[in-house]
Amino acid sequence: MAKTSSNLAKWVEKRYLFLLDKFKDQEFTFEEAFNLLKENFSDSYDQAKNIISELNKAGYLETKPNPEDKREKIYKLINIFAFPTSKQELINLLKRAADIIRTRVDYTFILILLFYKAYSDKWEREFEETKKKLLEKSWPEAEAVKEASEPVYHTFNFPKQYLWENLRKEPLRLSENLSYALKELAKLNPHYQDIFTQFDFYQFTSNPENNIILN
């Protein structure tokens, strides 16, 4: 994964989130990106070229030659919301976190994100382990899935709609959805209420002084 920067202009950040929402992990051509940007933002051809250039320089874009036309490039957006799955990706995540901290972002917001992701992953592991045991006891799969989701089998009460993977399916609403999820999780897990209720990502990322790509 390429090194990313937190210094994108706000108007470029908005286009990045928009394109990420449209393409997700799919490859695309410049013409495909330009058509979307023109339709939704009235961007010109030169503006679209500038956006692609800025995303590439900042490390938000992977580029390779088009095997069908060497004069054309194929692009793929790097999802900065994806949690690291390797040591190198973790290093890159921490570098991005350091960049964010240098832009006056309270480091506690980064810590709560890591905490949130860790407990989301823990819930999914507990779910899979419980489901497997129930299936081994000849439970019908639909009933095993429903039963394995019950709070009694989990360290943390984490409804499926609030799992990290589900939240990041909507990059354009990530900060809003995350803020709402934190409040709901505080209600479901009273012991952690003091931790969760002090964070409002939606309000935080709406503040122009906080240069962080979450809204």
Side-chain angles (χ1 to χ4, degrees):
M1 180 181 288
K3 179 182 178 181
T4 57
S5 169
S6 60
N7 296 320
L8 283 179
K10 287 293 181 182
W11 68 278
V12 179
E13 288 181 2
K14 289 181 179 179
R15 274 108 176 131
Y16 163 76
L17 290 170
F18 170 76
L19 293 175
L20 182 63
D21 186 52
K22 294 296 182 181
F23 292 118
K24 296 181 172 60
D25 61 350
Q26 297 178 354
E27 295 180 338
F28 59 92
T29 64
F30 171 78
E31 290 298 326
E32 290 172 326
F34 167 59
N35 289 334
L36 285 172
L37 293 171
K38 180 180 179 181
E39 179 181 352
N40 291 273
F41 296 97
S42 299
D43 288 337
S44 67
Y45 189 86
D46 287 340
Q47 284 175 317
K49 286 181 66 176
N50 187 35
I51 291 164
I52 293 297
S53 175
E54 289 298 313
L55 292 175
N56 188 46
K57 286 190 295 184
Y60 286 82
L61 198 65
E62 294 178 355
T63 306
K64 69 178 183 180
N66 187 340
E68 298 179 0
D69 186 349
K70 299 298 183 182
R71 296 170 299 177
E72 187 179 55
K73 293 180 180 179
I74 297 293
Y75 301 103
K76 183 178 178 181
L77 289 166
I78 294 173
N79 187 348
I80 67 167
F81 305 112
F83 206 76
T85 57
S86 68
K87 180 179 179 180
Q88 186 57 48
E89 289 184 3
L90 177 58
I91 291 172
N92 290 334
L93 174 64
L94 293 175
K95 287 180 179 179
R96 292 202 298 274
D99 286 338
I100 291 170
I101 291 172
R102 282 194 291 271
T103 58
R104 292 173 295 175
V105 171
D106 188 337
Y107 74 93
T108 53
F109 281 89
I110 299 169
L111 296 179
I112 196 64
L113 281 175
L114 295 175
F115 176 86
Y116 192 105
K117 179 60 168 60
Y119 271 87
S120 176
D121 287 351
K122 182 177 179 62
W123 189 97
E124 292 195 76
R125 288 194 300 271
E126 292 170 341
F127 170 81
E128 291 299 332
E129 291 170 2
T130 303
K131 176 186 170 184
K132 181 180 179 181
K133 291 177 182 178
L134 294 173
L135 291 175
E136 289 173 351
K137 295 179 180 179
S138 301
W139 280 55
E141 184 166 358
E143 292 184 17
V145 168
K146 183 178 179 180
E147 180 69 14
S149 301
E150 291 294 322
V152 67
Y153 298 102
H154 298 279
T155 306
F156 201 86
N157 191 348
F158 223 124
K160 280 189 175 181
Q161 66 266 33
Y162 302 138
L163 292 175
W164 180 267
E165 291 301 315
N166 291 329
L167 282 187
R168 72 184 189 89
K169 288 178 181 178
E170 296 184 281
L172 292 174
R173 298 185 59 195
L174 180 60
S175 57
E176 179 183 354
N177 291 342
L178 182 57
S179 183
Y180 180 78
L182 287 170
K183 291 176 182 177
E184 292 302 305
L185 290 173
K187 297 176 185 177
L188 295 171
N189 301 273
H191 292 301
Y192 295 90
Q193 194 167 26
D194 290 343
I195 297 176
F196 286 133
T197 53
Q198 63 181 298
F199 294 98
D200 188 338
F201 271 89
Y202 187 63
Q203 180 180 358
F204 173 74
T205 55
S206 298
N207 186 341
E209 292 185 0
N210 298 318
N211 183 24
I212 178 174
I213 242 182
L214 277 176
N215 62 325

